[in-house]
Every structure is written in structure tokens, then in C-alpha cells.
């Protein structure tokens, strides 16, 4: 079992399969970003070996992310092999642009569910935020994912001042007629877009206020396990739920059970801290499987707590797309 020095049990791994993306969301990566060479990224067998080590150390929940994970060649095989390791909950975060074509293959391979990023229901604003995306494609992706059973469907909205802070009302309205969970995420400062993120933050309290102004007070949904960063709420009578992920204004470190594997094979201990442990280097240099497990166990122990955003300090050694959010 993986534990850290604060007694947290770390059983949730997020794997960034690729740093490249077909979008260039304003809060995630600069327009002219340079992606890593393929040889510097984990190869399929390296991903599978490292994942197995995590699973043997007690990880039972895995999320595939990126960059855009659907750009990774051989994704169905990775999904199948990871699910067959006995992972209880295997999910993927995607921009949804390619889901309409591939959702069924991924569901058949063993993917349990998807989170889809959706920042606006206005095609022009969607384009402005993603710089390259098409709302129609992502929307079709959401519908197909639901049809093939990649459920419960969760939609991720990053709220960005000057881009989509008013759109949260229409996005929340989706839950009246769909059994989806729409989650509003506070902008996190990281990498080269870090200052933009700090300046464009919309606190969750403001987003919730805007939604309640339209729909009235939200109800708390019973049965919250305290582990998910987003406590579920409901517009009275709605089919779906709403969540607010307030990583900046109300960090949820006490309930954090996450570890992250970057696309280039580093174990990232916390999104908002630079601290990482190289796993791919030792693996390529001949470390044994047991040695890799020992490196993971020792690094997990030092998982940090808290962030220093009040002092405007944020990690700069990585872009969000290399870590996976
Ligand atoms: N490309 C996929 C997608 O967009 O869903 C997966 C990778 S993306 C990095 C994972 C999640 O991180 C998305 O929901 C995205 O909106 C979120 N994200 C990216 N940059 C962020 C930031 N600066 N603050 C908060 N969330 C961010
Ligand atoms: Fe691509 Fe996702 Fe980052 Fe947008 S948030 S640029 S879709 S990796």
C-alpha cells in the first residue's frame, strides 16, 4: 500500500499518455508550444510495466489523460491491458473531439467512463477558449460516450475570467435534462500560462452565486465520500448534479489520494509542487521491477501538502498538458 508521511492512502493514479493535443486551450498551453520527442515519452510497454507496479502497490483507480489521450496510438490496447490488471475504476479525461468515432472501441476494451472538457455551449466562445476546437464535435462525442455506456458522464468546465464566466449558467442548465455531473474547476496556475491563470481566476463562490441567482439555492446531494474534490450539489428537481473544484480557494489536501505519472515517466507528487521522481530513467537504465517499486514507495511518502499560491508562487517546471490535470 502507498502511504505518505501525513497518513494519506494513495490509491488513485493519473497517467498522462501524451503531451500533445489538437487543441490549445488558453489556460493550458501556449499557442506555439513544442511537444516532446516521441522517444522521450513512455512507450506502451513502459507504461504497462509502471502501471502494474502501481497496481501491485495498491492503486485501484486510474485515469488516462494528457495532452489529448485519444491522440495516443494504440490506446485501446493500453486500456485493455490496464483494465485486465484488476483496476476497479478506469476512466479517461478527454476534450471529446474524437470520441464520436472511438468511444465504442474504448468501451469494448474496458474503459469504464469519461470526463469531457466543455467550457462553453456557445460555438464561438468554445473556439476562442480552445483556439482550435469545434463545439459540434465535442458535443457529438459526449452523446456517443453516453450511448455506449461510458457513464456516469462528467463534464469539466474551467472557469476563466473574460472568456466563459457567464456561460456557467447554461452549462449548469444541462443537468436539468441530462443525468450528467457538470463540474466547475478553478483555474490553477502552472507552467508558462501560470500568470494568466492567477489573473483570470474566478473563485468557485462567485460561480456558484451566478448559478444560484438563476436557479435558486442548490441542494447538497447526500452520500458524499469526502475523497472526490467536488462535493455534489443539485438544482432542485434536476436529473444531474453540479460540482465545484476549488483547488485554489479551498484546497482539498486532506482528502487527496492522487499520484500522477507524467508523459515522460516522472512520478509527480502534487499538481501544485515541482517535486517529481524519475521512474523512466531508472527503468531504461536497467532498474529491476522491485527497485522501481521501492522508488515509487519512497517518493510517495514525501507527497507534499498545501500550496503557496497566496504568495503568487506556483510550479513552473511543467505545462499542465505534460502532467494531465
Ligand atoms: N485534453 C484532455 C482534456 O482537456 O480534457 C485531458 C488533459 S487536460 C490537461 C485535463 C483537465 O485539466 C481538463 O479538464 C482541463 O480543462 C484541465 N485543465 C487544464 N489546464 C488547467 C488549468 N490551468 N487549471 C485548471 N484546470 C486545467
Ligand atoms: Fe488540450 Fe486538454 Fe490542454 Fe485543452 S486542456 S489544450 S484539450 S490538453
Amino acid at each position: 500500500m502507498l502511504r505518505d508521511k501525513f497518513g494519506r492512502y494513495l490509491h488513485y493514479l493519473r497517467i498522462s499518455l501524451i503531451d500533445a493535443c489538437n487543441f490549445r486551450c488558453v489556460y493550458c498551453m501556449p499557442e506555439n508550444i513544442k511537444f516532446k520527442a516521441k522517444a522521450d515519452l513512455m512507450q506502451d510497454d513502459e507504461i504497462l510495466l509502471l502501471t502494474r507496479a502501481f497496481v501491485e502497490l495498491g492503486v485501484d483507480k486510474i485515469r488516462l489523460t494528457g495532452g489529448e489521450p485519444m491522440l495516443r496510438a494504440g490506446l485501446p490496447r493500453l486500456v485493455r491491458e490496464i483494465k485486465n490488471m484488476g483496476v476497479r475504476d478506469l476512466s479517461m479525461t478527454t476534450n471529446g473531439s474524437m470520441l464520436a468515432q472511438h468511444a465504442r472501441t474504448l468501451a469494448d476494451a474496458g474503459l469504464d467512463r469519461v470526463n469531457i472538457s466543455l467550457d462553453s455551449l456557445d460555438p464561438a466562445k468554445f473556439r476562442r477558449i480552445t483556439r482550435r476546437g469545434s463545439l459540434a464535435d465535442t458535443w457529438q462525442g459526449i452523446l456517443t460516450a453516453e450511448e455506449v455506456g461510458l457513464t456516469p458522464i462528467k463534464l469539466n468546465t474551467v472557469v476563466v475570467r473574460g472568456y466563459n464566466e457567464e456561460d456557467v449558467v447554461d452549462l449548469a442548465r444541462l443537468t436539468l435534462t441530462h443525468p450528467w455531473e457538470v463540474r466547475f474547476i478553478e483555474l490553477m496556475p502552472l507552467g508558462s500560462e501560470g500568470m494568466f491563470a492567477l489573473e483570470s481566476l474566478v473563485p468557485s463562490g462567485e460561480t456558484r452565486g451566478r448559478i444560484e441567482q438563476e436557479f435558486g439555492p442548490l441542494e447538497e446531494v447526500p452520500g458524499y465520500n469526502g475523497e472526490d474534490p467536488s462535493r455534489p450539489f443539485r438544482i432542485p428537481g434536476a436529473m444531474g448534479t453540479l460540482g465545484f473544484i476549488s483547488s485554489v480557494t479551498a484546497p482539498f489536501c486532506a482528502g487527496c489520494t492522487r499520484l500522477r505519472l507524467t508523459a515522460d515517466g516522472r512520478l509527480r507528487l502534487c499538481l501544485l509542487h515541482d517535486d517529481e521522481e524519475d521512474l523512466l530513467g531508472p527503468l531504461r537504465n536497467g532498474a529491476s521491477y522491485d527497485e522501481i517499486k521501492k522508488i515509487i514507495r519512497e517518493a510517495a511518502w514525501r507527497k507534499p501538502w498545501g500550496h503557496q499560491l497566496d504568495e503568487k508562487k506556483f510550479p513552473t517546471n511543467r505545462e499542465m498538458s505534460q502532467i494531465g490535470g
Side-chain angles (χ1 to χ4, degrees), residues 27-28 65-68 93-95 117 156 158 186-188 320 324:
Y27 46 73
C28 180
T65 174
E68 177 43 51
T93 301
T94 171
N95 63 31
S117 296
N156 290 345
V158 178
E186 281 182 348
L187 199 46
M188 272 178 279
M320 191 64 111

Side-chain angles (χ1 to χ4, degrees), residues 21 23-25 27-29 66-68 95 321:
C21 188
F23 288 11
R24 295 287 184 282
C25 299
Y27 46 73
C28 180
M29 52 171 85
E68 177 43 51
N95 63 31
S321 51

Side-chain angles (χ1 to χ4, degrees), residues 108-130:
D108 289 348
L111 189 67
D112 291 313
R113 58 194 180 87
V114 283
N115 285 23
I116 302 159
S117 296
L118 180 69
D119 293 335
S120 177
L121 291 174
D122 173 324
K125 286 196 197 174
F126 183 93
R127 181 70 170 201
R128 181 169 174 244
I129 295 176
T130 61

